[in-house]
């Protein structure tokens, strides 16, 4: 009998087109950055971010290409309404990492638009 192995990739990011985790759903896995949430899948109104690492980092930006104001979350995060989440502005781009991104790393990404090695850029 052959052994079956299941591989889980974290973090897992689930994006929803409607508030309160409704509407079309998109599931993404691994360390990634989405330059423009609207272009990727239309308006994203809610999300769930899951990782087995309590230091996993989820970063929302108020402008496309990782620019503008920043909101940082650590560990598992559920946001039922992304409207006005960043100092009165909507999230336009994001980064999900299965490890702790420091404030300096996030500033560097915001200034250059370049993600660290090992990230999938969408």
């Amino acid at each position: 009998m052959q052994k079956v192995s299941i591989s889980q990739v974290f973090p897992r990011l689930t994006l929803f087109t409607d508030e309160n985790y409704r509407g079309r759903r998109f599931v993404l896995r691994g360390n990634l950055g989405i330059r423009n949430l609207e272009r990727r899948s239309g308006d994203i109104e809610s999300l769930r971010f899951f990782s087995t690492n309590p230091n996993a980092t989820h970063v929302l930006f108020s402008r496309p290409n990782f620019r503008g104001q920043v909101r940082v979350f650590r560990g598992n995060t559920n946001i039922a309404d992304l409207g006005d989440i960043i100092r009165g502005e909507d999230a336009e781009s994001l980064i999900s990492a299965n490890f702790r991104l420091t404030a300096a790393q996030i500033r560097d990404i915001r200034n250059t638009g370049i993600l660290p090695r090992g990230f999938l850029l969408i």
Side-chain angles (χ1 to χ4, degrees), residues 52-101:
T52 56
N53 182 348
N55 288 315
T57 307
H58 183 71
V59 187
L60 300 175
F61 297 86
S62 63
R63 301 276 181 254
N65 298 316
F66 317 121
R67 305 277 191 216
Q69 300 294 320
V70 176
R71 179 102 187 250
V72 179
F73 299 90
R74 305 278 183 209
N76 297 333
T77 305
N78 294 312
I79 303 172
D81 184 2
L82 284 170
D84 302 332
I85 188 94
I86 309 165
R87 296 184 182 138
E89 297 187 50
D90 294 348
E92 298 290 334
S93 55
L94 65 79
I95 299 170
S96 293
N98 201 39
F99 57 90
R100 183 178 187 84
L101 281 170

Side-chain angles (χ1 to χ4, degrees), residues 5-54:
S5 172
I6 297 175
S7 175
Q8 293 284 337
V9 176
F10 294 106
R12 182 177 62 229
L13 177 66
T14 308
L15 305 171
F16 299 87
T17 57
D18 294 331
E19 294 173 1
N20 298 312
Y21 321 110
R22 296 186 180 169
R24 285 186 33 209
R25 176 178 67 175
F26 304 91
V27 179
L28 305 164
R29 296 176 190 276
N31 299 325
L32 61 92
I34 301 177
R35 284 194 179 278
N36 189 326
L37 278 170
E38 207 169 287
R39 187 173 62 198
R40 163 72 171 104
S41 48
D43 264 347
I44 298 299
E45 298 294 333
S46 57
L47 66 79
R48 293 184 189 273
F49 175 74
F50 176 79
S51 175
T52 56
N53 182 348

